[in-house]
Amino acid sequence: MSATLGVLIQMALRNLVVHRVKTGVVGLIMFFGTFLVVSGTAMLDSIRGSMEKSITSSLSGDIQVYSSEAEDALALFGSMGMSTPDIGEIDEFKPLRETLLEVEGVKAVVPMGIAMATVFGGTEIDRVLSDLRVATRDADAEGTAMRVEQLVQIAERMRKDVAMAAKASSEPEKTQDQLASLDRVLAPGFGADLAADPSGTLDWLDNKVAPIAADGRMLYLRNIGTNLDTFPQTFDRFRLVDGELVPPGQRGILLSKAFYEKQAKNFVARELDKIKKSLDQGKTIAEDAVVSELVARTATQYQRIQFQLSPKDAVIVTERLRTKLGRTDGDLAALLQEFLKMDDANFADRYAWFYQEIAPRVRLYEIPVGEEVTLRSFTKSGYIRAVNVKVYGTFEFSGLETSDLAGANNLVDMMTFRSLYGKMTDDQLDELADIKASSGVKQVSRDNAEDALFGGGGSLEAETTTAGAGFDEFAGLTLGAAATAGALDTTQYTTAQMEDGLALTAAVVLDEGGDVPAAIERIEAAAKAKGLAVQAVGWETASGIVGQIVMVLQVVLYTAIFIIFLVALVIINNTMVMATMERTTEIGTMRAIGAQRPFVIVLFLVETMVLGAIAGGLGAGAGALFITWLNHVGVPAVADALVLLFAGPRLYPVFTSGNLAFGMGSILAISALSTLYPSVLAARVLPVVAMQAKE
Amino acid sequence: MSGIVRLMDVVKDYPLGKVTVHALRKVNLTIDKGEFTVIAGPSGSGKTTLLNLIGCIDVATAGEVLVDGKSTGKLTDKQLTSLRLNSIGFIFQSFNLINVLDIRQNVEFPLLLQGGLSKAERQARVDDVVDKVGLRQFASQRPNELSGGQRQRVAIARALVTRPAIVLADEPTANLDSTTGTQIIDLMKEINHQDHTTFIFSTHDEKVMKRADRVVRILDGMLEAAGLSESRGPSESGGEQVHA
């Protein structure tokens, strides 16, 4: 038997040499197919591995547990849909945590919730008025004068805008009214008015002048509520960048550094960062249209710096700009415009100068670390919640610093999450009970509680925090629309208060090397035994859009492999059918001298399999070499989404014996499959053709 | 009625488009063991068809063909193949060697198909027949490195290696020059004498016919009348009469 196989293999090898062209064509397809399978699956496995590292160690844990009554799938990194997905609720986290911690292989359980919120980034006039209020309160004459000067500059610009808009306005009375208000600010006697009645004039400015300015920018924050005490230990990629961690038991927010840099930063600084990034990538202002456009646009935004400088700083910056630019005259506006007209030669120098001289004198971030912000959210039942919370610091996930996806989430404590989400505190529930008793409303569910409390069609904003009242030193800094968020809640909460109660999901971290599917089974069994209506999903499913990216990559790769193999199948099949026709005499002779049909089938199969083994082996080897080379140089994450997939700016893929085995296995299977028909055809060759052969 | 090959009222028709070609018409023939028989006739007379039926690579349309005691019409493809492998050796007009195998491997090939022999036994058998056909020094060469005569010797060796009861040769000298052809026939004759292997071969070469024990003439699918059609050579083996 082995001797027969030996001869078959020898015949196969020699036939491969004899039929060089056929061997070359088929071999090349096989080589390329196996190369693609090995390198593609190795890349995909590496990406999956790196993504697992990114995601499990930054946000999701290995498994996410959430309500089985969820309408939508959990998507921690955001979903494809526009609306906020309904992922149900876990009313009481405590029993779930206790149940999960008893499950074999579970290392840690962290409560989580997702709540969207908005923060108003104020307009320049809001800031100036806010500063002016402080200066007049403190009877700071010099400060007041400087702010008034700024106010006048802003009013001049606003008047031009309004006058322009008036020509097309459908409400001439309104624009006339606005022009009149601005004219009052620009009139010579305005300083005196302010001095005479600071409080009344400021209120008038707040009510009449500030609203004329275009709307301030609204920032959208995606917040993950969690236990901020345990989060940094549980998710080891977490790294504090600026500020400090939220003290244990305190409410607070940690902003994602990526969000902070890309959303909350001063517009000009942000644009300069963008230009620098482009130049670091090798682009130039001179040659790249997008970058030069960016530079031109940034220069037009000089007022975003001009109006942010205090009058004192404005003088300093004007002087230094003159020195820097070698000018003896020119006002701040002109100097800033000239400064911002950058080219490839001076960009690096001016970028550094900007951060050294200008950045420290302006409000570089709209939400400064250490200050308080008012987060507003639409709760599930549709009313608006406003919560004041202190920004303790910024954070990033190491390796994922540049990933927008990884940086899409900010972290808040569970109490704040519950406020944003629409969960009432015990005090509020008591208050609700009182109102219920006094008003005669019998049934108040959480969904209509606010209507019951505040009278349906009336005010839509609810004051959420009543505890911890005291002097609100940040009240004047609360930006934009009237803040009715109440005072900052500085109550010291216990871990139990923070953790127990409403959560949306539980992040489960497994022991090192834990088997996720097995753990999911154990978790679901344990939850079922305890009567908890929850479901468990692996990190890949839980991550939402990111998991879908890998799925898309997988589909693309397997489609490509499928197509290549389909082509291979057809070509090998055709080539072998032709080979069969060419070799009918040989086959007929073998049949005549006693070869059974299965022998002929095996002969052809062996021939293709030997070619498959050789070409496939070379292809697999080339794939392995290619991956090794990539591992050496690294695959750059050219898009932000890739940073998360690659768990860093570069992916260093590796191949496994599994990739090689899969590559070889599939090419041998394709070889066998594609030769099946030709070999059956060959087996049908009649022995009588041997007699017909003429030389 | 004995005989290693017996044909009784054998008819072979081929459909050719809308007409039927009557290749063999009621042929009766008996060939005894050890005979050195030539089937002679012009092209298209039915020589090859007759050999195909005897060689079990085709079956009769009607009548019965007995080869080595087995009625071929009743055998499956697998059984026919087995019968060819174990009882019949083939020598083809165009030699039909497997070009990618060397001489030794070509000769060994039927033994591999048979299985059952050890490597040493196969080796001994191959050496024996290769010696017999005088190609020992060429044993490791490939067919395309040999002359026509040498190739046909390899074919003879391959046909003999399984020690078959019958060796069939379809115009074995047609592609050889006359000297070489004569040498080949002499070799076959010699083996016939030594081993009493039955040789049946077709030819239209008069010189070859002269060396046969018995000549069966065929024309238009029919064997020519006894006495007329058949000439007995010097062989002592007594044969059945041919029935027209």
Side-chain angles (χ1 to χ4, degrees):
Chain A
M1 191 65 209
S2 67
T4 312
L5 191 68
V7 170
L8 278 173
I9 292 174
Q10 203 169 353
M11 282 175 74
L13 283 169
R14 291 183 182 171
N15 268 319
L16 291 177
V17 176
V18 171
H19 304 100
R20 285 180 202 88
V21 177
K22 181 205 88 178
T23 306
V25 171
V26 174
L28 205 67
I29 296 169
M30 287 171 162
F31 171 88
F32 187 65
T34 320
F35 172 83
L36 187 79
V37 173
V38 170
S39 51
T41 54
M43 279 294 282
L44 209 63
D45 288 352
S46 300
I47 289 175
R48 202 176 171 279
S50 62
M51 194 178 94
E52 181 174 5
K53 265 189 274 166
S54 312
I55 291 177
T56 56
S57 61
S58 68
L59 204 59
S60 74
D62 297 298
I63 294 168
Q64 284 272 328
V65 179
Y66 65 112
S67 171
S68 53
E69 284 157 20
E71 297 273 330
D72 301 307
L74 174 64
L76 276 182
F77 288 89
S79 63
M80 291 287 199
M82 294 298 287
S83 61
T84 312
D86 176 359
I87 56 163
E89 291 169 1
I90 297 165
D91 288 328
E92 280 302 325
F93 186 72
K94 188 177 174 183
L96 178 62
R97 184 190 56 220
E98 286 168 353
T99 306
L100 293 178
L101 282 173
E102 281 170 17
V103 174
E104 183 200 334
V106 171
K107 192 168 128 193
V109 179
V110 180
M112 281 188 182
I114 306 166
M116 302 298 294
T118 54
V119 169
F120 283 108
T123 56
E124 275 98 19
I125 192 160
D126 285 326
R127 294 202 189 96
V128 171
L129 289 181
S130 155
D131 290 348
L132 186 58
R133 199 176 279 276
V134 175
T136 53
R137 188 189 64 197
D138 299 346
D140 170 6
E142 193 191 358
T144 304
M146 288 172 181
R147 301 297 172 197
V148 169
E149 193 188 322
Q150 269 187 324
L151 184 62
V152 168
Q153 282 179 336
I154 293 170
E156 270 173 8
R157 183 171 54 113
M158 282 164 71
R159 199 188 182 290
K160 272 185 215 160
D161 291 346
V162 173
M164 188 91 78
K167 290 172 189 163
S169 175
S170 60
E171 299 169 293
E173 283 171 28
K174 189 180 162 196
T175 47
Q176 284 310 314
D177 192 38
Q178 288 176 345
L179 287 172
S181 300
L182 290 168
D183 284 339
R184 187 186 159 195
V185 179
L186 296 169
F190 181 70
D193 287 357
L194 184 68
D197 177 12
S199 155
T201 312
L202 279 165
D203 283 350
W204 175 81
L205 284 168
D206 271 341
N207 291 317
K208 286 294 230 178
V209 179
I212 301 171
D215 288 337
R217 215 161 63 87
M218 186 124 75
L219 298 178
Y220 292 88
L221 279 76
R222 194 168 196 275
N223 302 297
I224 300 283
T226 188
N227 183 337
L228 292 177
D229 303 339
T230 55
F231 189 92
Q233 286 94 53
T234 313
F235 296 96
D236 54 15
R237 283 202 171 223
F238 174 92
R239 198 168 68 81
L240 190 75
V241 183
D242 307 306
E244 55 178 325
L245 290 174
V246 177
Q250 286 292 306
R251 296 177 65 156
I253 184 168
L254 293 172
L255 295 173
S256 144
K257 183 70 177 168
F259 164 83
Y260 202 55
E261 288 296 320
K262 287 177 180 153
Q263 304 279 325
K265 206 172 193 178
N266 174 285
F267 184 85
V268 173
R270 211 166 1 125
E271 298 298 282
L272 291 178
D273 289 347
K274 262 193 234 170
I275 296 165
K276 181 169 189 294
K277 192 179 166 194
S278 295
L279 297 186
D280 287 347
Q281 286 168 356
K283 294 172 183 166
T284 61
I285 299 170
E287 283 165 22
D288 191 298
V290 177
V291 182
S292 71
E293 169 73 16
L294 206 56
V295 172
R297 196 178 60 193
T298 307
T300 65
Q301 301 297 315
Y302 66 96
Q303 287 175 326
R304 296 192 192 240
I305 296 170
Q306 185 192 351
F307 296 136
Q308 285 216 0
L309 291 169
S310 73
K312 206 161 77 184
D313 284 334
V315 173
I316 298 170
V317 171
T318 306
E319 271 175 24
R320 299 202 176 159
L321 272 174
R322 281 184 186 152
T323 317
K324 177 84 190 152
L325 300 171
R327 293 270 178 279
T328 51
D329 56 358
D331 62 6
L332 182 60
L335 290 165
L336 278 171
Q337 284 181 75
E338 191 188 336
F339 175 77
L340 290 172
K341 279 181 192 133
M342 301 176 176
D343 56 33
D344 292 307
N346 64 24
F347 181 84
D349 174 56
R350 290 197 183 176
Y351 180 83
W353 199 87
F354 173 85
Y355 275 101
Q356 190 189 325
E357 298 291 341
I358 298 177
R361 296 182 165 86
V362 296
R363 194 179 171 89
L364 195 57
Y365 296 96
E366 289 183 34
I367 315 168
V369 169
E371 288 188 12
E372 178 189 340
V373 284
T374 303
L375 300 175
R376 287 181 171 76
S377 72
F378 272 95
T379 61
K380 281 195 75 185
S381 45
Y383 58 90
I384 297 173
R385 281 279 176 143
V387 186
N388 280 344
V389 62
K390 183 176 169 184
V391 178
Y392 277 92
T394 64
F395 72 94
E396 63 193 10
F397 295 117
S398 60
L400 307 176
E401 294 84 354
T402 56
S403 165
D404 279 343
L405 270 170
N409 295 301
N410 303 292
L411 296 176
V412 296
D413 65 276
M414 286 306 283
M415 284 292 170
T416 304
F417 155 69
R418 286 176 198 132
S419 298
L420 293 172
Y421 183 75
K423 182 77 176 171
M424 270 177 283
T425 62
D426 289 343
D427 287 346
Q428 286 170 321
L429 286 171
D430 289 346
E431 197 183 339
L432 182 64
D434 289 345
I435 292 169
K436 217 165 89 175
S438 64
S439 67
V441 174
K442 299 296 178 208
Q443 288 295 323
V444 181
S445 72
R446 193 162 66 218
D447 288 349
N448 64 17
E450 292 296 319
D451 287 351
L453 268 169
F454 300 106
S459 161
L460 281 171
E461 276 203 353
E463 190 157 314
T464 57
T465 53
T466 52
F471 173 64
D472 178 11
E473 62 181 308
F474 299 106
L477 293 171
T478 308
L479 309 168
T484 52
L488 192 66
D489 178 7
T490 53
T491 311
Q492 183 66 35
Y493 291 97
T494 63
T495 305
Q497 281 172 317
M498 281 284 193
E499 278 228 342
D500 302 342
L502 177 93
L504 298 190
T505 80
V508 177
V509 177
L510 300 178
D511 292 329
E512 196 69 37
D515 176 2
V516 172
I520 287 177
E521 269 179 34
R522 288 197 296 270
I523 285 172
E524 291 198 325
K528 200 174 172 189
K530 293 274 171 73
L532 300 170
V534 292
Q535 55 182 320
V537 293
W539 59 269
E540 208 169 2
T541 315
S543 57
I545 196 166
V546 180
Q548 288 159 22
I549 291 173
V550 166
M551 236 157 62
V552 168
L553 284 178
Q554 218 154 7
V555 168
V556 169
L557 177 72
Y558 285 118
T559 308
I561 289 175
F562 177 77
I563 291 170
I564 289 214
F565 278 166
L566 200 68
V567 170
L569 205 74
V570 171
I571 294 182
I572 297 172
N573 178 74
N574 282 358
T575 321
M576 292 305 286
V577 167
M578 283 167 66
T580 308
M581 289 179 181
E582 280 172 16
R583 289 163 65 181
T584 47
T585 303
E586 182 191 329
I587 300 160
T589 304
M590 286 186 203
R591 293 279 289 126
I593 63 179
Q596 296 285 2
R597 284 184 169 152
F599 177 88
V600 176
I601 293 178
V602 170
L603 173 75
F604 272 70
L605 281 179
V606 165
E607 208 170 298
T608 327
M609 302 280 269
V610 165
L611 178 57
I614 295 169
L618 289 173
L625 273 178
F626 178 63
I627 293 295
T628 308
W629 175 73
L630 286 181
N631 180 276
H632 200 64
V633 298
V635 185
V638 285
D640 279 327
L642 290 181
V643 177
L644 187 69
L645 294 185
F646 291 1
R650 272 175 186 272
L651 177 73
Y652 297 95
V654 290
F655 67 90
T656 60
S657 54
N659 301 130
L660 296 178
F662 181 66
M664 286 305 287
S666 42
I667 199 65
L668 289 179
I670 289 296
S671 305
L673 210 61
S674 59
T675 319
L676 221 52
Y677 173 69
S679 60
V680 167
L681 211 61
R684 282 199 206 140
V685 170
L686 294 172
V688 74
V689 300
M691 289 294 208
Q692 293 155 355
K694 300 279 178 277
E695 202 153 76
Chain B
M1 303 249 289
S2 68
I4 193 137
V5 174
R6 287 189 67 202
L7 280 77
M8 287 166 285
D9 295 333
V10 169
V11 173
K12 181 67 188 177
D13 295 338
Y14 293 110
L16 190 75
K18 284 181 181 171
V19 297
T20 303
V21 176
H22 304 290
L24 291 179
R25 310 170 195 225
K26 288 221 168 205
V27 169
N28 288 283
L29 175 66
T30 302
I31 295 168
D32 287 331
K33 188 169 168 24
E35 274 194 280
F36 193 79
T37 306
V38 163
I39 296 171
S43 291
S45 59
K47 296 192 297 288
T48 305
T49 305
L50 191 58
L51 277 185
N52 287 349
L53 293 184
I54 297 169
C56 304
I57 56 180
D58 207 349
V59 287
T61 311
E64 193 176 11
V65 178
L66 286 169
V67 175
D68 210 5
K70 296 187 179 82
S71 177
T72 61
K74 292 172 186 151
L75 299 181
T76 61
D77 178 75
K78 191 176 171 185
Q79 289 166 328
L80 281 174
T81 308
S82 222
L83 185 60
R84 290 196 298 271
L85 176 62
N86 296 309
S87 302
I88 303 168
F90 284 91
I91 299 162
F92 303 96
Q93 188 181 334
S94 303
F95 327 129
N96 293 21
L97 300 175
I98 300 168
N99 284 324
V100 294
L101 299 181
D102 66 25
I103 303 312
R104 187 181 294 284
Q105 287 169 322
N106 261 288
V107 175
E108 193 188 12
F109 192 76
L111 295 179
L112 290 171
L113 292 176
Q114 276 186 326
L117 292 185
S118 73
K119 191 179 176 185
E121 286 169 317
R122 288 198 309 270
Q123 201 71 41
R125 287 255 201 125
V126 171
D127 286 347
D128 182 40
V129 290
V130 170
D131 279 348
K132 220 173 245 178
V133 298
L135 287 176
R136 168 149 259 194
Q137 71 267 41
F138 300 105
S140 54
Q141 282 181 290
R142 301 262 193 104
N144 53 11
E145 294 164 339
L146 303 184
S147 69
Q150 287 169 323
R151 284 189 219 182
Q152 200 58 301
R153 283 165 188 264
V154 177
I156 293 169
R158 181 176 66 181
L160 291 173
V161 76
T162 55
R163 296 178 182 163
I166 308 157
V167 171
L168 287 177
D170 184 27
E171 305 214 23
T173 59
N175 285 323
L176 302 172
D177 61 71
S178 68
T179 317
T180 315
T182 308
Q183 285 169 355
I184 289 293
I185 295 298
D186 287 345
L187 174 65
M188 284 160 61
K189 183 90 189 170
E190 193 186 324
I191 292 161
N192 168 256
H193 270 295
Q194 279 175 9
D195 305 340
H196 300 290
T197 308
T198 311
F199 274 82
I200 306 170
F201 58 101
S202 64
T203 189
H204 51 254
D205 184 341
E206 290 296 330
K207 274 197 279 179
V208 173
M209 283 178 226
K210 279 181 189 152
R211 292 172 180 267
D213 293 348
R214 178 186 174 194
V215 178
V216 177
R217 289 187 188 271
I218 186 166
L219 190 68
D220 292 335
M222 287 184 287
L223 299 190
E224 291 185 0
L228 266 176
S229 66
E230 210 167 336
S231 57
R232 289 277 182 186
S235 170
E236 284 137 28
S237 59
E240 285 290 314
Q241 291 300 300
V242 175
H243 310 280

